[in-house]
Amino acid sequence: MTVREYSHYIAGAYEAWSGETVERRSPANGEPVARYASGTPADIDRAVEAARKAFESGVWSELSGMERAEVLNRLADLIQENFDRLVRIEVEETGKPIRFARGDINGTVGLTRYAASLGMQMAGTTYTNLGRDRTALIMREPVGVVGLVTPWNFPALILMQKVPFALAAGCAVVVKPSEFTSGSALEIAALASKAGLPDGVFNVVSGKGSIVGQRLTDHPGVDFISFTGSTRVGRNVIESSAKNIVKTSMELGGKSANIVFADADLDAAVDGALMGVFFNNGECCVSGSRLFVQSTVADDFIARVARRASELKVGDPFDDKTDIGAMIDENHFGKVLDFVKSGVAEGAKLLTGGEAAKLGAGHYVQPTVFDHVTPSMTIFQEEIFGPVLSVTRFDTLDEVIGLANDSQYGLSNYVWSKNIDTVMTVSKRLKSGWVQANTIIDGAPQLPLTGVKGSGFGYEMGQAGFEEFTQLKTLFLHTGPRQPVFGS
Ligand code: NAD
């Protein structure tokens, strides 16, 4: 296998690099797959300077929405043309099953085209009802130079939940991708140049979060920070932003509830329970990792979920039939297994899995299901970020709302019922930015994602996500003679 080598992408080109590197080994087999520049604060400074220069020159920020949309649509075309390569990079670096990586890259195309269309409609408001000679224009402008920090679980998809929206608004960006999975960001930035994006508008600096991530979020030349990652690091980024009084958007962790009422389509809900926690190896912020099942159907439903989980295929992420690939790295793999041990130690009933799946040098975890999980247990409260499902039984609607909301997080929740009253009541009372009914981990570029509580704030995708990259400026316009206020 060829090891891909990258340096930073700054001002429209890969820079020469002779410094330290971060080596990425495939979590599936331990083989080296990529080497990235291990950046320094000076690299971030150069990237921010390039972005500032590009932004202030107007070479991108002053183009019409139509012109920006043309470039973004060409970028979408180029992503499609490089589809297989980008899919391979995602699989090599993340260890996720290839069918899910294909979905991710397809998703980036849709996001880019949708963002292009929003840029064409970027508009403000005019007030003409303020009285004679008085008009106000509320103008929508790009926010400026944006720092984007992304995680490893959907490297390309989350990148493109941000980048095309920022670009469509006219911003210039500096991206700090995860040190585990920087390949797709570095490739997509070069594709953007090929699509006609001016130099310096899309920069990528690779390296460690504690060094380059920290410098980017501390940098006084950044106007807005859009961060996706853990709640722990998110808190740190908010503290950094306070120093420069910079706006932030925080897409953080989750521990979503997946609630199944007895009157649901139970076949669909069994599949939904599996999708909820085993999709993307369970390394998913909106994972439905806490399953709540109404007692009258619980025994049979939970037995079906556990049996189907035990039949899932764990292994080579490049195999089309694989359901669960490798955990992102050895450290995370160990943490997931520690959570499993805590579940057993704290008295949850292990129905299936519970161990590493021994497959060569990769970091694989068996699909694991625990029954009789209670709110006092660690596995009920903590984001495990692996293929581990916690099941809790409930009797009444009020009871399950209390259980679901008993969480530091509030990202996404799910409800399964054929009763519209139940669906609406539950949806309104759940404390989360997103609720899905009779489906799970679904979505579309038009729909904003946001969290409440420890899951963060600010919007990604949709009109609201686009507007995060803009700011309003009010122009109050007086025409004609003006009545003096102080004398004549
Ligand atoms: P992480 O917080 O460890 O890292 C995220 C990014 O922050 C990485 O690029 C990392 O290098 C960088 N970073 C680390 N330290 C930093 C610092 N001091 N300053 C600035 N940047 C720093 O998260 P992760 O392990 O990469 O991703 C998993 C987490 O992301 C989970 O908690 C998951 O729920 C969350 N996530 C949330 C969403 C969402 O939309 N809400 C989506 C995907 C993932």
Side-chain angles (χ1 to χ4, degrees):
M1 187 183 284
T2 341
V3 178
R4 288 173 284 106
E5 295 203 343
Y6 302 92
S7 57
H8 309 307
Y9 196 84
I10 299 178
Y14 291 110
E15 293 192 322
W17 185 254
S18 55
E20 277 182 37
T21 55
V22 177
E23 184 177 68
R24 180 62 183 149
R25 288 177 176 267
S26 157
N29 56 28
E31 295 293 318
V33 292
R35 231 166 263 127
Y36 323 110
S38 184
T40 64
D43 301 326
I44 288 287
D45 293 353
R46 248 184 356 275
V48 172
E49 197 184 317
R52 175 61 59 193
K53 196 169 150 211
F55 181 74
E56 300 298 345
S57 74
V59 64
W60 180 251
S61 55
E62 291 174 10
L63 291 187
S64 69
M66 178 79 85
E67 288 166 314
R68 291 205 284 259
E70 278 168 14
V71 174
L72 287 171
N73 280 318
R74 270 202 298 279
L75 171 59
D77 295 341
L78 286 169
I79 293 174
Q80 280 178 312
E81 282 169 30
N82 289 273
F83 183 81
D84 290 340
R85 177 175 171 77
L86 290 168
V87 167
R88 185 166 62 77
I89 290 170
E90 294 297 80
V91 178
E92 279 178 2
E93 296 187 7
T94 64
K96 70 170 71 186
I98 190 163
R99 59 200 175 103
F100 298 140
R102 287 195 192 104
D104 289 358
I105 302 302
N106 270 327
T108 68
V109 173
L111 286 161
T112 306
R113 294 200 194 286
Y114 171 68
S117 73
L118 287 181
M120 286 169 65
Q121 293 174 41
M122 180 166 158
T125 319
T126 307
Y127 278 85
T128 53
N129 64 344
L130 304 176
R132 187 172 161 178
D133 298 335
R134 290 150 63 92
T135 311
L137 309 180
I138 301 175
M139 301 184 290
R140 191 171 287 284
E141 300 184 337
V143 75
V145 171
V146 180
L148 307 176
V149 182
T150 56
W152 48 257
N153 59 336
F154 296 97
L157 192 68
I158 290 176
L159 175 83
M160 299 310 267
Q161 286 178 193
K162 300 178 189 291
V163 169
F165 293 82
L167 297 183
C171 296
V173 304
V174 177
V175 177
K176 204 311 264 176
S178 166
E179 47 271 52
F180 296 129
T181 57
S182 305
S184 51
L186 287 156
E187 298 254 345
I188 290 172
L191 292 179
S193 293
K194 209 169 158 191
L197 191 73
D199 296 349
V201 177
F202 185 170
N203 309 279
V204 182
V205 177
S206 55
K208 298 198 177 109
S210 56
I211 299 172
V212 280
Q214 186 72 48
R215 176 60 183 159
L216 180 59
T217 54
D218 277 344
H219 202 294
V222 171
D223 300 308
F224 171 45
I225 300 160
S226 172
F227 174 84
T228 301
S230 62
T231 301
R232 181 185 63 79
V233 177
R235 193 169 281 123
N236 186 62
V237 173
I238 295 167
E239 279 171 20
S240 295
S241 73
K243 290 176 213 145
N244 301 316
I245 320 277
V246 165
K247 167 178 141 165
T248 59
S249 158
M250 292 284 140
E251 305 291 336
L252 309 177
K255 187 77 184 176
S256 302
N258 184 19
I259 304 170
V260 179
F261 284 88
D263 64 359
D265 174 341
L266 295 176
D267 292 340
V270 166
D271 184 67
L274 298 170
M275 168 72 182
V277 73
F278 300 124
F279 168 67
N280 209 58
N281 303 337
E283 296 168 325
C284 181
C285 54
V286 290
S287 166
S289 53
R290 291 183 302 153
L291 176 66
F292 296 95
V293 188
Q294 201 159 24
S295 300
T296 47
V297 294
D299 285 345
D300 183 53
F301 188 91
I302 296 164
R304 285 172 71 192
V305 170
R307 183 177 51 73
R308 293 270 304 276
S310 69
E311 291 165 2
L312 294 177
K313 187 169 170 356
V314 182
D316 178 8
F318 277 102
D319 182 340
D320 262 312
K321 296 203 179 67
T322 291
D323 297 306
I324 301 177
M327 298 286 93
I328 193 75
D329 78 338
E330 193 172 359
N331 185 30
H332 182 61
F333 164 76
K335 276 192 198 157
V336 172
L337 291 174
D338 284 348
F339 277 120
V340 171
K341 281 186 205 142
S342 83
V344 173
E346 292 174 18
K349 185 174 177 200
L350 182 65
L351 297 183
T352 188
E355 287 178 11
K358 300 207 168 44
L359 297 161
H363 308 302
Y364 298 92
V365 175
Q366 293 174 344
T368 298
V369 179
F370 280 106
D371 195 2
H372 299 292
V373 177
T374 61
S376 63
M377 294 180 188
T378 309
I379 58 170
F380 185 100
Q381 296 293 347
E382 297 295 326
E383 183 181 44
I384 299 175
F385 229 55
V388 181
L389 181 64
S390 299
V391 188
T392 305
R393 294 143 188 258
F394 72 92
D395 292 315
T396 67
L397 187 149
D398 282 340
E399 181 192 1
V400 79
I401 295 288
L403 286 164
N405 287 338
D406 182 357
S407 172
Q408 62 181 305
Y409 298 110
L411 191 55
S412 189
N413 287 305
Y414 310 96
V415 53
W416 300 77
S417 166
K418 285 294 175 195
N419 183 326
I420 188 71
D421 292 359
T422 303
V423 167
M424 282 308 293
T425 306
V426 171
S427 303
K428 285 182 181 172
R429 291 177 58 190
L430 285 171
K431 297 204 185 319
S432 55
W434 203 341
V435 180
Q436 302 193 7
N438 299 318
T439 186
I440 195 159
I441 315 187
D442 221 332
Q446 298 91 321
L447 309 180
L449 175 63
T450 187
V452 299
K453 300 195 277 183
S455 294
F457 52 81
Y459 299 93
E460 196 139 289
M461 301 183 287
Q463 178 70 28
F466 172 73
E467 288 178 3
E468 290 280 14
F469 294 101
T470 69
Q471 64 189 29
L472 299 177
K473 181 187 280 172
T474 302
L475 167 62
F476 199 114
L477 192 63
H478 185 95
T479 47
R482 185 172 170 280
Q483 201 60 36
V485 180
F486 294 105
S488 54

